[in-house]
């Protein structure tokens, strides 16, 4: 018993160390743009060239911070200029102030700011070259005609902008008539170059060393300004993500195992249900997802016909959790779950203050770990008032799904299955989510598939959190609600 306890203590210590390492990496790779935004006085000339980064207000900093770090690493200065597409004259005025700095001037735009970037390149002779990074949005009838070299850069697997959208913009600018081949390709005509890299290089639309290398190669060939990609940043970022995720999951796992030795699991005393026929119960769990998937498909078709403005992948993900969990809880509540006898437990009970404080500490750890991963650039969290109703619906659906999983866990404990069969019984209901990740590739590109996988990882963390809180609080409702709310917020406001 003492050896078992020490093993869990060492595991918990290792998880905390992983999390601290990840947090350190996150701050080390923190965005150098935060002190620059809309504050030209904070950007003194600190290099031999100036790179102006254009982005709209919705562009997360972690998408463009690697560019700024590469520019600073290469001896230049990076200036972020947030622009309003409705007031391009304001962007032009601010750009003119920035261009008073001596040395070469490079221009990079991200997302929908490409049209303003073209106007700046056409009107300001100080710019020697430019890059339009992942240009999104509609192409206007009239386009500025810059006289300096311009490259359009995107990936083959993204939905927005798709390779076809990139090719259309390139054709309008260059007068060419090319069609994408679905893979990586390059085309050049006059001052314009189109570069579509493989989606496997970087499906996040953030910047891997390969994409940064494309930027550096373009500027060196067109301006003579040599940019150097940091050899350690990409690997360090991946290491920080891996350490942070491992620290979060292992911390929840080993904390539960350690506390299980000290806390009486009063969850069992709140569960007056028994598995009277294990085979029938397992068959129901193995086949229940078919009904949930069918209902979800019908709901998705209805939303498509009604043209509801809902983010598709998070809605499908949380919708499946809600339908599967809601159906499972309904069967438990009505006493009609196959193979299970007994009544539904009362969802109430007093929580001792010491346990409430311990539960709050666990929740705080999860929030800090999630914040560290967001700072490191693994994902972007952008809450908005307009998205709160959707976040509430996602949270309710996730609460139902996680609540059902808590009950299923205790029912499976009674079945006394072999570890392999137990794992299969727990994972099989999530087969539709794995199918969704696969089907997202043709519909939403590799970014969409990774978004589903990211949500599946978040679901794993939410379930571990709910199980730990259930052990601490002796309740089913509150752990389900807290974990479901966090997952719903991430599904509504988080993006890769």
């Amino acid at each position: 018993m003492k050896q078992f306890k020490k093993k869990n203590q060492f595991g918990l210590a290792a998880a905390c160390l992983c999390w601290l390492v990840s947090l350190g990496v996150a701050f080390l790779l923190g965005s150098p743009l935060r002190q620059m935004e809309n504050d030209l006085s904070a950007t003194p000339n600190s290099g031999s060239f100036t790179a102006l980064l254009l982005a709209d207000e919705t562009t997360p900093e972690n998408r463009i911070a690697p560019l700024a770090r590469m520019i600073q690493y290469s001896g230049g200065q990076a200036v972020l200029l947030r622009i309003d597409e409705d007031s391009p004259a304001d962007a032009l005025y601010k750009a003119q102030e920035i261009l008073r700095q001596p040395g070469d001037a490079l221009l990079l735009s991200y997302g929908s700011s490409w049209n303003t970037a073209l106007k700046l390149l056409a009107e300001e002779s100080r710019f020697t070259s430019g890059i339009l990074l992942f240009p999104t949005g509609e192409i206007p009838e009239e386009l500025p005609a810059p006289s300096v070299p311009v490259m359009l850069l995107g990936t083959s697997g993204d939905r927005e902008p798709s390779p076809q959208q990139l090719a259309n913009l390139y054709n309008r600018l260059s007068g060419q008539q090319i069609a994408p081949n679905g893979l990586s390709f390059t085309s050049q005509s006059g001052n314009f170059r189109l570069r579509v890299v493989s989606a496997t290089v970087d499906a996040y639309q953030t910047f891997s060393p390969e994409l940064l290398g494309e930027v550096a190669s373009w500027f060196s060939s067109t301006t003579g300004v040599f940019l150097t990609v940091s050899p350690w940043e990409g690997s360090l970022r991946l290491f920080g993500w891996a350490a942070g995720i491992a620290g979060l999951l292992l911390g929840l796992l080993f904390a539960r195992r350690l506390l299980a030795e000290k806390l009486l699991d009063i969850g069992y005393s709140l569960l007056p249900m028994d598995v009277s026929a294990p085979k029938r119960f397992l068959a129901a769990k193995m086949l229940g997802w078919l009904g949930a998937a069918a209902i979800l498909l019908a709901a998705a078709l209805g939303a498509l016909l009604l043209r509801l403005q809902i983010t598709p992948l998070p809605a499908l993900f949380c919708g499946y959790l809600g339908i599967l969990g809601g159906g499972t809880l309904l069967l438990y509540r009505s006493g009609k779950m196959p193979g299970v006898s007994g009544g539904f437990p009362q969802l109430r009970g007093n929580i001792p203050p010491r346990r409430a404080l311990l539960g709050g500490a666990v929740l705080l750890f999860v929030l800090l770990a999630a914040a560290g991963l967001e700072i490191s650039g693994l994902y972007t969290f952008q809450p908005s008032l307009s998205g709160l109703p959707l976040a509430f619906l996602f949270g309710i659906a996730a609460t139902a799904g996680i609540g059902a999983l808590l009950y299923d866990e205790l029912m499976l404990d009674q079945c006394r299955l072999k570890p392999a069969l137990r794992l299969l019984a727990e994972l099989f209901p999530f087969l539709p989510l794995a199918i969704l990740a696969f089907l997202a590739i043709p519909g939403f590109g590799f970014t969409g598939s990774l978004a589903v996988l990211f949500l599946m990882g978040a679901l794993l963390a939410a379930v571990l959190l709910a199980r730990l809180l259930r052990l601490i609080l002796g309740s089913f409702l509150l752990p389900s609600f807290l974990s479901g709310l966090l997952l719903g917020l991430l599904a509504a406001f988080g993006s890769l």
Side-chain angles (χ1 to χ4, degrees):
M1 181 64 69
K2 290 183 178 180
Q3 185 178 3
F4 182 76
K5 182 177 181 179
K6 287 184 178 180
K7 183 178 179 180
N8 289 330
Q9 288 175 341
F10 282 128
L12 190 57
C16 292
L17 180 61
C18 286
W19 176 69
L20 290 175
V21 169
S22 175
L23 197 61
V25 172
F27 281 104
L28 180 63
L29 296 179
S31 172
L33 300 169
R34 288 171 182 158
Q35 61 181 347
M36 301 177 182
E37 188 172 344
N38 295 328
D39 184 4
L40 302 183
S41 63
T43 58
N45 186 21
S46 58
S48 58
F49 65 94
T50 299
L52 177 60
L53 308 177
L54 291 185
D56 59 35
E57 294 293 338
T58 63
T59 301
E61 289 181 0
N62 68 331
R63 300 282 175 86
I64 50 179
L67 286 169
R69 282 193 292 268
M70 179 182 68
I71 292 164
Q72 293 179 344
Y73 183 80
S74 304
Q77 68 165 345
V79 181
L80 172 64
L81 180 57
R82 297 284 188 180
I83 63 171
D84 182 355
E85 291 296 333
D86 296 329
S87 305
D90 184 52
L92 178 60
Y93 171 75
K94 291 183 178 179
Q96 289 172 339
E97 290 189 55
I98 296 169
L99 292 176
R100 294 174 183 172
Q101 306 286 354
D104 292 302
L106 317 177
L107 182 63
L108 302 95
S109 73
Y110 186 97
S112 62
S113 60
W114 62 269
N115 197 12
T116 301
L118 287 180
K119 294 176 182 178
L120 289 173
L121 291 171
E123 297 179 16
E124 288 295 325
S125 59
R126 277 288 316 282
F127 288 115
T128 54
S129 183
I131 298 181
L132 310 182
L133 305 158
F134 305 105
T136 60
E138 297 182 0
I139 305 175
E141 291 296 327
E142 296 184 3
L143 290 174
S147 59
V148 297
V150 179
M151 178 171 73
L152 284 70
L153 179 61
T155 63
S156 61
D158 286 308
R159 188 183 185 189
E160 184 69 22
S162 66
Q164 184 62 58
Q165 290 171 320
L166 289 167
N168 290 341
L169 178 56
Y170 172 76
N171 290 338
R172 286 284 305 277
L173 289 171
S174 65
Q176 297 287 96
Q177 290 297 322
I178 67 166
N181 58 12
L183 304 173
S184 61
F185 64 94
T186 303
S187 180
Q188 183 155 354
S189 176
N191 279 333
F192 299 100
R193 178 182 178 88
L194 172 62
R195 180 71 175 108
V196 176
V197 300
S198 172
T200 57
V201 170
D202 188 14
Y204 286 92
Q205 287 192 356
T206 52
F207 290 89
S208 63
E210 291 84 355
L211 279 177
L212 291 175
E214 293 286 342
V215 174
S217 176
W218 173 250
F219 282 133
S220 65
S221 64
T222 57
T223 67
V225 173
F226 290 95
L227 302 181
T228 303
V229 180
S230 172
W232 51 265
E233 180 175 333
S235 300
L236 187 60
R237 185 188 301 119
L238 291 175
F239 174 74
W241 292 347
I245 294 171
L248 173 60
L249 298 181
L250 292 178
L252 293 172
L253 180 63
F254 281 104
R256 184 171 186 259
R257 294 178 61 180
L258 184 64
L259 291 175
E261 305 170 14
K262 300 180 179 180
L263 299 180
L264 174 65
D265 190 352
I266 59 179
Y268 284 95
S269 64
L270 295 175
L271 194 70
M273 295 187 293
D274 297 307
V275 179
S276 55
K279 291 184 179 180
R280 289 183 58 199
F281 174 71
L282 291 176
K285 299 313 300 177
M286 292 292 190
L287 299 177
W289 66 271
L290 291 172
I295 296 174
L296 178 66
L297 181 60
L301 291 176
L304 186 63
L305 293 175
L306 295 175
R307 297 182 179 180
L308 299 180
Q309 299 297 319
I310 301 177
T311 309
L313 292 178
L316 291 173
F317 184 91
C318 293
Y320 176 75
L321 286 180
I323 294 171
L324 180 65
T328 299
L329 292 176
L330 184 61
L331 289 175
Y332 282 134
R333 179 73 177 180
S334 62
K336 295 183 179 180
M337 173 62 74
V340 176
S341 60
F344 196 73
Q346 297 293 326
L347 300 177
R348 62 184 180 183
N350 296 324
I351 301 174
R354 293 182 63 182
R355 290 200 174 200
L357 289 175
L358 182 57
V362 170
L363 188 62
L364 179 61
F365 165 76
V366 172
L367 292 175
L368 290 175
L373 291 172
E374 198 272 347
I375 293 173
S376 68
L378 177 62
Y379 66 96
T380 299
F381 188 76
Q382 290 183 300
S384 65
L385 290 176
S386 60
L388 283 179
L390 191 61
F392 176 76
L393 292 177
F394 286 172
I396 294 298
T399 296
I402 294 174
L405 290 174
L406 291 183
Y407 289 113
D408 287 343
E409 179 196 14
L410 299 186
M411 293 293 96
L412 288 171
D413 286 345
Q414 296 184 29
C415 295
R416 301 185 182 279
L417 302 174
K418 293 182 179 180
L421 185 58
R422 169 66 182 264
L423 183 63
L424 178 63
E426 289 190 331
L427 295 181
F428 202 79
F430 300 105
L431 179 62
L433 298 182
I435 296 174
L436 176 62
F438 178 77
L439 294 179
I441 296 177
F444 301 91
F446 284 94
T447 303
S449 179
L450 288 173
V452 177
L453 293 176
F454 173 70
L455 288 175
M456 291 175 69
L459 173 61
L460 174 59
V463 170
L464 291 176
L465 172 63
R467 289 181 175 180
L468 178 57
L469 290 178
R470 184 193 63 78
L471 173 66
I472 296 172
L473 304 178
S475 166
F476 288 86
L477 181 59
L478 186 57
S480 301
F481 174 73
L482 293 175
S483 300
L485 179 61
L486 293 179
L487 183 58
L489 290 172
L490 186 62
F493 300 131
S495 63
L496 292 175

